[in-house]
Amino acid sequence: MLLSIFSLVLLFLLVMLIAKAIRAFWKWLGRGRELERVIQEERVDPDIREAYEKEQAWRLAQRTRDMVTLEAPQHLTLRQIHRVNVAVAQARDEYLQSFRLGAFQIIMIFFLGSIAGLVLEEVWMLLSAGILQSRVGLVWGPFSPLYGFGAVLLSLMAIALRHFHAKTWQVFLVSAGVGGLLEQITGWSMNTIFHAQSWTYIGLPDAITQWVAWRFLFFWGIIGLIWCKVVLPELLYRIGFFTTKRQAVFIVLLSVYLAADVFMTLACFNRKTARDKGIPPQNAFQEWVDTHYTDEFIADRFQNLAVGYDLAPNG
């Protein structure tokens, strides 16, 4: 138990460090756009506007090699940068107050959450148990749909709680409940439909059911807090609404790919279960699945997955 808590603290610190680094880099990379946006909305004072215009003129002169009459611009002071950050945060909060999730945002959140969740789980297993293995949930790509659905549910919950001005402890409890319910439904469905298990908490002293344990409810609560308070507001502000044909084409192609990935994964599991029962393929598609997605492929691709037998109890 103490080792799990210690590993969770290390994972939390690692997530915060990575999130801070990515946020700092992303902010630095998109600083001009953020600054331009708050300037256009007249959210900053004239001195910041003047400094920004001088910097833009300097950059234009550098590109055109016309720098005879220009003086090198001064960088914004720390106080000015703080005022810009406050203006950006205010603009983001106002944007999110009236924000509603649509298909575009949901697909992007599912896509990013599936990847981020997989990375977190593999890091967690490496830190807590010293195990490095493939823990993907789909046959193609680095995706874990459990975390993708979790990210979408947490996002819907976060937006609703934001409108009700929920407190931190309320976000934590709701996140823990959402995560536990998702684990229970997913674990029970996999076991019932395919007799497949990716995890089991049997044998743990704090196990509530085979797929839910108190320590991981705490984990879900922490992840939910980070997601709702730190990641999601900035992510939604960055995603925005698609306004170009390129964005529309990208989201359609991504949707088709993810739908095909889920379909093929279900088909593979269905045939794996049927093969274990000695049921031969019934059509050309099932023959193709048996040829290309063999038991060896399933075992190598889903290294933490047990199909046709139960995982050993913990401890």
Side-chain angles (χ1 to χ4, degrees):
M1 183 66 179
L2 290 177
L3 179 60
S4 297
I5 295 175
F6 179 70
S7 300
L8 183 60
V9 171
L10 285 180
L11 181 59
F12 172 74
L13 294 176
L14 178 63
V15 170
M16 293 300 296
L17 181 62
I18 294 175
K20 187 174 181 179
I22 293 175
R23 188 176 180 182
F25 174 75
W26 200 345
K27 189 173 184 178
W28 170 80
L29 191 63
R31 174 179 169 273
R33 291 185 178 181
E34 288 185 345
L35 192 55
E36 182 179 358
R37 180 181 295 180
V38 294
I39 285 176
Q40 289 176 348
E41 295 175 355
E42 298 184 351
R43 293 179 179 272
V44 294
D45 296 331
D47 62 320
I48 297 178
R49 178 190 296 272
E50 182 181 357
Y52 172 75
E53 291 174 349
K54 285 183 178 180
E55 182 178 355
Q56 293 300 101
W58 173 260
R59 293 183 182 277
L60 177 62
Q62 283 184 315
R63 290 196 299 269
T64 59
R65 299 182 182 277
D66 182 19
M67 304 173 61
V68 178
T69 59
L70 284 178
E71 297 180 0
Q74 295 181 348
H75 295 293
L76 295 180
T77 64
L78 292 178
R79 184 180 296 274
Q80 288 174 323
I81 292 174
H82 174 70
R83 284 153 56 193
V84 171
N85 291 338
V86 170
V88 170
Q90 181 182 3
R92 184 188 64 192
D93 290 342
E94 292 177 2
Y95 169 79
L96 293 176
Q97 283 298 329
S98 58
F99 186 85
R100 294 294 183 274
L101 281 180
F104 174 70
Q105 294 81 17
I106 288 176
I107 293 169
M108 287 299 299
I109 290 172
F110 177 85
F111 172 71
L112 296 173
S114 296
I115 297 175
L118 175 65
V119 173
L120 285 178
E121 182 176 355
E122 293 192 351
V123 171
W124 161 262
M125 291 304 299
L126 182 61
L127 290 176
S128 63
I131 298 175
L132 183 60
Q133 63 180 190
S134 172
R135 304 182 71 84
V136 296
L138 298 176
V139 293
W140 303 328
F143 306 118
S144 178
L146 173 66
Y147 294 103
F149 285 117
V152 171
L153 290 176
L154 287 176
S155 300
L156 293 170
M157 173 210 73
I159 292 176
L161 292 177
R162 185 184 184 88
H163 292 320
F164 287 103
H165 305 287
K167 298 179 180 179
T168 299
W169 66 269
Q170 293 172 320
V171 176
F172 175 85
L173 290 180
V174 174
S175 299
V178 168
L181 183 62
L182 186 61
E183 281 195 304
Q184 176 66 27
I185 293 175
T186 303
W188 178 86
S189 299
M190 288 176 59
N191 190 58
T192 302
I193 299 174
F194 302 110
H195 194 192
Q197 297 177 8
S198 288
W199 74 94
T200 180
Y201 299 143
I202 293 178
L204 294 180
D206 59 335
I208 302 173
T209 70
Q210 181 176 350
W211 301 286
V212 182
W214 286 109
R215 72 185 70 181
F216 294 107
L217 290 182
F218 179 76
F219 178 85
W220 276 103
I222 294 295
I223 291 295
L225 273 178
I226 297 174
W227 181 262
C228 297
K229 297 291 187 178
V230 180
V231 178
L232 185 63
E234 188 69 16
L235 180 63
L236 291 179
Y237 192 54
R238 294 285 184 174
I239 292 176
F241 299 94
F242 67 86
T243 56
T244 66
K245 291 182 179 179
R246 283 179 296 176
Q247 289 175 319
V249 170
F250 170 76
I251 205 66
V252 169
L253 293 177
L254 180 60
S255 302
V256 172
Y257 174 83
L258 290 174
D261 203 354
V262 172
F263 173 78
M264 281 304 305
T265 302
L266 294 175
C268 289
F269 287 166
N270 183 62
R271 282 305 304 153
K272 175 66 171 70
T273 303
R275 287 196 299 268
D276 291 342
K277 296 179 179 179
I279 302 175
Q282 305 298 312
N283 51 54
F285 174 71
Q286 292 185 354
E287 291 179 358
W288 182 84
V289 171
D290 284 357
T291 301
H292 293 84
Y293 298 94
T294 61
D295 291 354
E296 291 74 17
F297 171 86
I298 297 295
D300 183 64
R301 175 69 177 171
F302 306 97
Q303 296 178 1
N304 66 316
L305 180 68
V307 182
Y309 63 94
D310 294 336
L311 290 171
N314 293 275

